[in-house]
Amino acid sequence: MNKKRAQENADRQARLAAIQSQQRAGERKRNTLIFGGIALVIVAIIVAVTIVIVQQVQENNRIDALASADIEGVETFEELTANHVDAPVEYEQTPPVGGDHSPIWTNCGVYTEPLPNENTVHSMEHGAVWITYQADLPQAEIDALTELVGDRAYVVMSPFEGLESPVVASAWGIQLSLDSADDERLQAFLAKYVEGEQTPEPGAPCTGGIDPTA
């Protein structure tokens, strides 16, 4: 009788061991699938991020190459005065590219209302690029310009009355007229002239002035 009971106990232990072994094997299989899936997701993310970074680097290099050469359509203006005046100024260019201006500059940033010429010319003296656009420019174009400006520190963007071209980019003594916001010459213009060599007062701030439309 004792032998029979012992055998039954041994059989139960064997069955239990077999069940536990199957459970452990199932857990290992599940863990392998889970961690394998996680690894695949991580690899996919790394690959996607790498592709984006490489594409951005390539795009930046392309824009830098365009900026290093002469940009088609750019006009230059020389012998510009730079006196501080309190009275309104009649500028020869539309929008102005330099000349006498207010002692107080316009803070760089994106504006949805026209800006005073005298203050914004002072911003250009500090190295800012002023992107202006026709008041009736489609909103999609305005959004594209806003995205392009992003968080750049030395760019002013605003609508401007009386523009002959849909978009005009101006730096001190330099101007480029464009038909659309997606013209790649605008990116090259920013790369070349934001705080570029044309800046009369390099290192001067584009903050701490006024927000004319606030």
Side-chain angles (χ1 to χ4, degrees):
M1 187 71 178
N2 290 335
K3 289 182 179 180
K4 182 178 180 182
R5 185 173 299 170
Q7 184 61 44
E8 290 175 351
N9 289 336
D11 291 342
R12 282 197 298 271
Q13 291 296 328
R15 288 195 296 272
L16 180 60
I19 293 172
Q20 291 174 339
S21 178
Q22 290 176 347
Q23 290 175 338
R24 286 193 294 271
E27 290 175 356
R28 285 195 296 270
K29 184 176 181 180
R30 285 194 298 273
N31 289 339
T32 299
L33 291 173
I34 290 172
F35 289 117
I38 292 174
L40 288 174
V41 170
I42 292 173
V43 170
I45 292 173
I46 292 174
V47 170
V49 170
T50 301
I51 290 173
V52 170
I53 292 174
V54 170
Q55 289 176 338
Q56 187 60 56
V57 169
Q58 291 174 337
E59 177 65 10
N60 290 343
N61 290 339
R62 189 179 69 83
I63 295 301
D64 288 342
L66 289 173
S68 64
D70 292 335
I71 301 173
E72 182 182 355
V74 165
E75 297 181 83
T76 58
F77 306 87
E78 300 179 352
E79 299 182 0
L80 297 169
T81 58
N83 300 307
H84 288 179
V85 296
D86 293 322
V89 179
E90 291 291 332
Y91 293 102
E92 295 184 10
Q93 294 79 34
T94 303
V97 296
D100 294 347
H101 51 270
S102 169
I104 305 173
W105 57 89
T106 297
N107 289 333
C108 287
V110 175
Y111 295 87
T112 57
E113 298 293 334
L115 298 173
N117 290 335
E118 293 78 11
N119 301 96
T120 313
V121 167
H122 195 156
S123 303
M124 290 193 290
E125 185 182 39
H126 290 186
V129 166
W130 188 8
I131 297 176
T132 50
Y133 58 90
Q134 292 175 342
D136 59 353
L137 192 71
Q139 187 60 46
E141 293 270 302
I142 298 173
D143 292 342
L145 290 174
T146 302
E147 183 177 355
L148 178 61
V149 172
D151 58 358
R152 295 174 191 261
Y154 278 78
V155 180
V156 183
M157 172 182 155
S158 72
F160 194 98
E161 297 293 338
L163 288 185
E164 294 184 0
S165 298
V167 179
V168 179
S170 306
W172 186 272
I174 300 165
Q175 194 164 81
L176 175 64
S177 298
L178 303 159
D179 291 330
S180 67
D182 60 2
D183 191 316
E184 64 180 11
R185 290 178 298 162
L186 180 54
Q187 296 184 57
F189 192 95
L190 292 174
K192 189 167 189 172
Y193 296 116
V194 169
E195 295 186 279
E197 295 180 357
Q198 83 290 340
T199 303
E201 295 183 3
C206 207
T207 59
I210 61 169
D211 293 324
T213 63

